[in-house]
Amino acid sequence: TTPANAQGTFTEEAQTVTYVYEKADAAPVTVQYVDGEGNELLAPDTLNGKIGDPYETSAKSIAGWTVKTTPANAQGTFTEEAQTVTYVYEKADAASIIDPGTGSNKNGKTISNNSNKEIVLPQTGDINTTYLWGIGSVLSLIALLILSLTRRIKKR
């Protein structure tokens, strides 16, 4: 906005002239979802914002497809120039596609996850120490029981 006192006359008293600015509209960010040959898999999304504001995009889930390439500009800042963010997908491996009706993949392996939580699989070399503590406790109890029985037998 332009203040009412943008033009005036100098006086003996101090005067303040205040201009109020707002960020200008930025050029849009277009998010594309394509296969390896550039064929559109989903309609593109358009993000709008003000120059200097941050934007963030993410890949969409497409049945039968997995994300092959996540672009470096998946997150960024709106600018004066139009930007394009392109997610590249590839056909999913048949063994990894899960039929929602049966809960199994093409190989017949049943996948069960009744909760809506993400399944975290162990990495190669990961050791679940919970069962080790259980085994150690059981072995300790057996050792105490044997020690107790041998002392009773010696006393007789």
Side-chain angles (χ1 to χ4, degrees):
T1 59
T2 302
N5 64 344
Q7 294 180 3
T9 311
F10 285 100
T11 64
E12 290 182 15
E13 294 183 25
Q15 300 178 53
T16 301
V17 179
T18 304
Y19 288 87
V20 178
Y21 293 85
E22 68 177 23
K23 289 183 179 182
D25 289 333
V29 174
T30 303
V31 185
Q32 299 177 331
Y33 310 94
V34 300
D35 65 11
E37 297 173 3
N39 299 314
E40 189 175 274
L41 299 173
L42 291 176
D45 292 328
T46 302
L47 305 176
N48 295 300
K50 302 287 186 180
I51 293 176
D53 286 350
Y55 72 83
E56 184 173 338
T57 67
S58 61
K60 289 189 176 182
S61 179
I62 303 174
W65 295 86
T66 58
V67 178
K68 179 180 180 183
T69 306
T70 299
N73 65 340
Q75 297 178 7
T77 305
F78 285 102
T79 64
E80 293 178 355
E81 307 207 1
Q83 300 176 69
T84 302
V85 177
T86 304
Y87 287 92
V88 179
Y89 291 77
E90 63 186 354
K91 279 280 194 189
D93 178 8
S96 67
I97 299 174
I98 298 171
D99 179 357
T102 64
S104 62
N105 65 11
K106 300 293 181 194
N107 294 334
K109 181 178 177 188
T110 300
I111 311 289
S112 176
N113 182 13
N114 293 336
S115 69
N116 288 329
K117 296 180 182 174
E118 181 180 334
I119 298 173
V120 179
L121 299 175
Q123 298 295 315
T124 303
D126 281 357
I127 298 174
N128 186 348
T129 58
T130 305
Y131 77 91
L132 291 176
W133 282 101
I135 291 172
S137 298
V138 169
L139 291 175
S140 297
L141 288 173
I142 291 172
L144 287 173
L145 182 62
I146 292 172
L147 186 63
S148 170
L149 289 175
T150 55
R151 286 188 180 177
R152 284 186 185 173
I153 292 174
K154 286 183 180 179
K155 287 183 180 180
R156 290 186 183 173

